[in-house]
């Protein structure tokens, strides 16, 4: 099926790649923040930085909109009642809705909670028409770090945590590990979407706090206290936000990251998402570990911190 993905503009590059990797999109194009693509679609409700997903109906130049509205077989997508909404242009929605009204057998309008919500998105001198299938109403903000029983201020925002998991493309019963799990921000999102995930941290106090946070959401995962540089068990995917304490020297961090990346290459079967602080020359360390950067993104946190999100794989992949 062909879809329209309305992406968040907060970080458009990241939003686009999340959808591409999770849904394995092959043929796709981006018009402003509207991603048009063929997809299987089973996993789109996992997306973090997609605002809504629509079934693609048609697209046309702006001048041909009325004809396209008149020619489309609205009966084929109509269910119970409908509403039409326009984005990116000032047009009379009621007039355009008339084409739908005149095309179905028993038309009924419901502006508040329509069963059939048709949207027109004006992008780059074209109009894209779709039927809304899913609105992203995930309550990410209710799972922010300061609202959990055990607080770690550096924990990722839940929306970003979900996104970096999706960047791996993980599905089914494939395995995922967070080697620096902290108080569980990434693992909470992984567990909510039913992934076969586990976590570890070298600090037993931290792993205990991680368990408490998981428990507060009625979630349970395998959490171990162990050194990320010495883990031997292999996993399909690794997703982790590297520690970067303010009082930790740059050289000390580089030694830790170097040892971690060396071990990562041994235990990662497919892909890894590793998040670095921008104060570190991460490209040099990744190259030294003989890993390949498939994609990378900058994510602004505050004036003194921008995180570098890297999607890594083995050379040749």
């Amino acid at each position: 099926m062909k879809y329209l993905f309305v992406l968040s503009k907060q970080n458009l590059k990241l939003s686009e790649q999340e959808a591409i990797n999770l849904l394995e999109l092959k043929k796709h194009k981006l018009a402003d923040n509207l991603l048009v693509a063929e997809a299987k679609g089973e996993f789109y409700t996992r997306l973090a930085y997609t605002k809504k997903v629509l079934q693609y109906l048609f697209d046309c130049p702006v001048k041909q909109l009325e004809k396209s509205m008149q020619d489309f077989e609205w009966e084929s997508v109509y269910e119970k009642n409908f509403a039409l909404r326009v984005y990116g242009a000032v047009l009379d929605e009621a007039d355009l809705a008339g084409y739908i009204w005149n095309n179905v057998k028993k038309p009924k309008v419901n502006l508040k909670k329509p069963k059939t919500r048709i949207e027109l998105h004006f992008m780059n001198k074209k109009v894209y028409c779709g039927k809304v299938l899913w609105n992203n109403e995930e309550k990410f903000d209710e799972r922010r770090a300061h609202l959990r029983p055990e607080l770690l201020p550096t924990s990722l925002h839940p929306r970003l945590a979900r996104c970096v998991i999706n960047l791996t493309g993980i599905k089914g019963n494939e395995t995922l590990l967070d080697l620096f799990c902290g108080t569980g921000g990434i693992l909470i999102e992984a567990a909510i979407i039913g992934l076969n995930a586990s976590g570890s941290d070298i600090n037993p106090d931290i792993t205990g706090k991680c368990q408490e946070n998981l428990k507060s959401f009625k979630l349970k995962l395998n959490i171990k206290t162990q050194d990320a540089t010495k883990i031997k068990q292999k996993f399909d995917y690794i997703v982790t936000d590297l520690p970067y304490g303010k009082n930790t020297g740059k050289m000390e961090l580089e030694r830790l990251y170097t040892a971690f990346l060396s071990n990562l290459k041994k235990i990662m079967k497919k892909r890894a998402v590793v998040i670095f602080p921008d104060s570190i020359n991460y490209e040099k360390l990744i190259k030294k570990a003989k890993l390949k950067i498939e994609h990378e993104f900058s994510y602004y946190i505050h004036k003194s911190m921008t995180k570098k999100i890297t999607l890594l794989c083995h050379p040749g992949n």
Side-chain angles (χ1 to χ4, degrees):
M1 184 183 288
K2 197 170 184 178
Y3 295 90
L4 303 175
F5 300 88
V6 182
L7 306 179
S8 167
K9 291 185 178 182
Q10 182 179 347
N11 190 316
L12 190 55
K13 183 180 177 184
L14 187 59
S15 304
E16 179 185 13
Q17 201 62 50
E18 179 195 13
I20 289 171
N21 285 13
L22 179 61
L23 302 175
E24 301 179 73
L25 304 182
K26 303 300 181 184
K27 295 181 180 180
H28 52 84
K29 65 177 179 179
L30 187 66
D32 193 19
N33 70 316
L34 192 69
L35 182 64
V36 186
E38 294 277 353
K40 293 181 180 179
E42 293 94 336
F43 298 98
Y44 61 68
T45 57
R46 275 176 46 181
L47 291 167
Y49 284 106
T50 293
K51 293 181 176 181
K52 65 178 74 173
V53 176
L54 297 82
Q55 177 187 347
Y56 169 91
L57 301 182
F58 65 82
D59 66 72
C60 65
V62 174
K63 292 181 180 179
Q64 296 179 15
L65 176 58
E66 290 189 8
K67 185 177 187 306
S68 296
M69 291 288 293
Q70 186 173 6
D71 292 345
F72 188 80
E73 291 295 328
W74 294 105
E75 190 71 53
S76 65
V77 296
Y78 180 82
E79 297 178 78
K80 194 173 181 179
N81 53 55
F82 80 100
L84 181 141
R85 292 288 180 257
V86 174
Y87 297 90
V90 180
L91 293 174
D92 191 313
E93 292 177 341
D95 284 350
L96 291 168
Y99 292 106
I100 302 174
W101 181 275
N102 293 329
N103 189 267
V104 299
K105 294 177 181 178
K106 297 180 179 180
K108 186 178 180 181
V109 172
N110 185 329
L111 299 179
K112 292 184 178 180
K113 293 184 178 181
K115 184 70 175 177
T116 310
R117 181 182 172 98
I118 303 298
E119 294 187 355
L120 298 174
H121 291 263
F122 286 71
M123 303 280 187
N124 304 333
K125 299 181 181 180
K126 291 188 73 174
V127 187
Y128 295 85
C129 179
K131 174 185 175 180
V132 176
L133 300 176
W134 173 73
N135 278 295
N136 193 342
E137 297 177 352
E138 184 70 47
K139 295 177 173 60
F140 290 110
D141 285 344
E142 293 183 3
R143 299 194 291 273
R144 288 174 294 173
H146 71 281
L147 299 176
R148 302 172 199 153
E150 299 293 344
L151 172 64
L152 186 65
T154 57
S155 184
L156 298 180
H157 189 284
R159 189 182 298 275
L160 179 59
R162 175 75 65 85
C163 175
V164 295
I165 292 168
N166 288 336
L167 279 176
T168 67
I170 184 172
K171 299 178 185 71
N173 203 40
E174 294 175 311
T175 55
L176 180 143
L177 172 67
D178 182 355
L179 295 98
F180 296 94
C181 68
T183 53
I186 290 172
L187 295 177
I188 289 169
E189 295 306 310
I192 285 172
I193 56 180
L195 298 181
N196 182 10
S198 55
S200 67
D201 200 285
I202 198 169
N203 186 334
D205 181 53
I206 289 293
T207 53
K209 290 180 177 181
C210 179
Q211 291 281 24
E212 285 300 312
N213 282 341
L214 285 165
K215 185 178 178 181
S216 72
F217 291 101
K218 298 180 179 179
L219 302 170
K220 187 176 181 180
L221 293 177
N222 183 27
I223 309 297
K224 294 183 179 180
T225 300
Q226 53 187 349
D227 187 339
T229 68
K230 297 178 180 179
I231 294 172
K232 294 182 179 181
Q233 183 181 352
K234 293 188 177 184
F235 291 81
D236 294 313
Y237 302 101
I238 310 292
V239 179
T240 199
D241 183 19
L242 294 176
Y244 56 92
K246 292 182 179 180
N247 298 323
T248 307
K250 186 174 181 180
M251 291 299 293
E252 186 178 344
L253 282 180
E254 286 194 1
R255 283 194 292 270
L256 171 62
Y257 295 174
T258 297
F260 157 70
L261 289 169
S262 177
N263 195 44
L264 173 67
K265 187 180 179 184
K266 298 174 185 177
I267 66 173
M268 173 186 75
K269 293 182 182 179
K270 297 180 180 180
R271 280 172 164 167
V273 175
V274 181
I275 305 174
F276 295 84
D278 62 349
S279 58
I280 295 292
N281 187 347
Y282 62 95
E283 292 173 317
K284 181 185 75 173
L285 299 181
I286 292 169
K287 185 177 180 181
K288 184 178 179 181
K290 296 182 180 179
L291 290 166
K292 174 185 172 183
I293 299 178
E294 191 174 328
H295 295 284
E296 60 180 292
F297 313 89
S298 294
Y299 193 91
Y300 176 83
I301 303 297
H302 49 70
K303 64 180 180 180
S304 59
M305 170 62 71
T306 295
K307 294 197 173 188
K308 297 295 183 177
I309 301 169
T310 62
L311 181 61
L312 306 179
C313 61
H314 293 287
N317 286 12

